Amino acid sequence: MIASANTTSITTDQQALLSLKGHVTEDPANFLARNWNTSSSVCNWTGVTCDVRTHRVTALNISGLNLTGTIPSELGNLSSLQTLDLSFNWFSGSIPASIFNINMFHGKIPSTLSNCKRLRNISLSLNDFSGTIPKEIGNVTKLIGLYLRGNQLQGEIPEELGNLAELEELWLQNNFLTGTIPSSIFNLSSLSILDLSVNNLTGTIPYAGNLFQLQWLDLSDNQLSGSFPSFKFKMPRLQVLDLSVNGLSGELPANFCNNFPFLEELYLSKNMFYGEIPSDLANCSYLRILVLQFNNFSGAIPKEIGNLTKLEKLDLQFNRLR
């Protein structure tokens, strides 16, 4: 993982590395004890590389040492860091957000992340990562959160992500992902948030057989096609559904609210839906936002919508309603 350099003090770098040393609870070869001490310059510590001119730490490689411990937030103070390799160790806990504030990382997401079997969260959002999502991430089976939004990722979403049985949140929006949505993702029974918006995904929306915990589904700003897939959805806890800016078509089903009894926000704008707006929408008693603009809905606006006492926003413009 690569980042461009900043400037602060070499003392800051020393303190950051000593903090990492202090968070290591097991060091079988006494590597850090023997090599990292204040009697010598940080730039002479084994595993540490410094810039010749600024004497700032630019690379840290302590892979393969069987270290056990956690990663401290102070590691994010290595503001000139260009390369970081902590692989083949036994670090646990979450990756501190401060690491990703060093600078904007770019390059490819390493497939070796799959070696970190105890990872619970992978958070690489809002960087400049390119290439594809490594299918090996599907082997990190303890993951509960995968956050890759706002990068330059391309290619298809790996079917192997469907192996992440404990996954609760999947954020892949604002990338350049292509291909169809893997059906395996729609069988992740622990998933509560699924956001694949602002990509170039095509095809139809898969059958959702096990998304009983899902509360947020955003597939907007893609190139999805097919009819409204309510008959495929079994999402009794869904609160937000955004399918806007796609190529979906067909009529909304008459029993719409039977599928989404707790729905609060519904966005279907800029598709090709037609027919009458079902009066059943009035049974979505928690609905606060209803946006159906830029479609081909026709007929009268159901008077039953007036019974939606929680409604805050209603947008039906650019249809054929009367």
Side-chain angles (χ1 to χ4, degrees):
M1 294 183 285
I2 308 295
S4 57
N6 264 332
T7 57
T8 52
S9 168
I10 187 64
T11 304
T12 303
D13 291 354
Q14 182 188 75
Q15 292 171 345
L17 294 174
L18 289 175
S19 179
L20 175 61
K21 178 181 178 181
H23 280 73
V24 171
T25 56
E26 292 184 27
D27 181 1
N30 288 319
F31 176 86
L32 300 184
R34 288 186 290 106
N35 295 287
W36 288 17
N37 58 74
T38 56
S39 63
S40 62
S41 169
V42 167
C43 298
N44 294 326
W45 293 4
T46 306
V48 176
T49 303
C50 291
D51 182 89
V52 175
R53 182 177 58 85
T54 65
H55 302 290
R56 296 297 313 285
V57 174
T58 57
L60 175 61
N61 184 348
I62 53 172
S63 64
L65 299 176
N66 289 316
L67 302 174
T68 301
T70 58
I71 302 173
S73 61
E74 287 83 358
L75 206 61
N77 295 332
L78 296 174
S79 57
S80 291
L81 197 67
Q82 297 177 16
T83 303
L84 174 64
D85 192 343
L86 308 179
S87 61
F88 298 101
N89 286 293
W90 297 99
F91 289 110
S92 59
S94 60
I95 300 175
S98 60
I99 289 181
F100 302 105
N101 292 329
I102 295 174
N103 280 292
M104 181 173 284
F105 291 91
H106 60 88
K108 295 184 178 181
I109 298 174
S111 60
T112 51
L113 277 176
S114 63
N115 296 320
C116 305
K117 301 297 185 183
R118 300 185 184 184
L119 273 179
R120 299 292 281 168
N121 290 280
I122 296 178
S123 182
L124 304 176
S125 295
L126 303 176
N127 278 286
D128 196 30
F129 287 110
S130 58
T132 59
I133 300 173
K135 64 181 181 180
E136 289 83 359
I137 289 180
N139 296 327
V140 190
T141 55
K142 292 186 179 296
L143 271 185
I144 60 173
L146 179 57
Y147 309 92
L148 303 179
R149 68 186 180 94
N151 282 285
Q152 305 288 323
L153 297 172
Q154 303 174 353
E156 297 187 357
I157 300 172
E159 188 83 29
E160 288 80 1
L161 295 187
N163 298 331
L164 303 175
E166 299 182 27
L167 196 67
E168 297 176 4
E169 298 188 15
L170 178 58
W171 299 79
L172 303 181
Q173 71 268 39
N174 291 92
N175 280 288
F176 297 93
L177 300 171
T178 56
T180 59
I181 301 173
S183 58
S184 60
I185 291 178
F186 272 63
N187 285 312
L188 293 173
S189 59
S190 296
L191 209 58
S192 63
I193 296 176
L194 175 58
D195 197 330
L196 308 179
S197 61
V198 196
N199 280 288
N200 297 309
L201 300 172
T202 56
T204 59
I205 299 174
Y207 172 75
N210 296 305
L211 294 178
F212 299 113
Q213 305 299 321
L214 198 68
Q215 300 176 34
W216 175 296
L217 176 61
D218 191 344
L219 305 178
S220 63
D221 285 87
N222 279 288
Q223 301 171 35
L224 300 173
S225 58
S227 59
F228 187 86
S230 67
F231 67 93
K232 301 180 180 180
F233 286 4
K234 297 179 181 179
M235 304 178 185
R237 299 190 179 186
L238 195 68
Q239 298 175 17
V240 177
L241 175 60
D242 193 343
L243 303 178
S244 57
V245 195
N246 276 291
L248 300 169
S249 61
E251 299 184 68
L252 298 188
N255 62 344
F256 183 92
C257 293
N258 290 346
N259 298 291
F260 316 111
F262 294 103
L263 195 65
E264 297 182 14
E265 301 178 26
L266 175 62
Y267 306 90
L268 301 179
S269 62
K270 295 186 179 180
N271 279 285
M272 296 180 288
F273 294 117
Y274 57 81
E276 296 186 353
I277 298 174
S279 59
D280 174 72
L281 282 177
N283 294 327
C284 295
S285 57
Y286 293 92
L287 204 60
R288 296 185 299 104
I289 298 175
L290 176 58
V291 179
L292 306 180
Q293 63 174 342
F294 291 99
N295 280 286
N296 291 309
F297 291 112
S298 59
I301 299 174
K303 63 181 185 299
E304 290 84 357
I305 287 181
N307 297 329
L308 294 172
T309 58
K310 298 183 183 295
L311 199 63
E312 301 172 5
K313 179 178 181 179
L314 175 63
D315 193 340
L316 306 177
Q317 63 180 330
F318 297 102
N319 280 285
R320 299 164 55 196
L321 300 166
R322 63 176 190 274

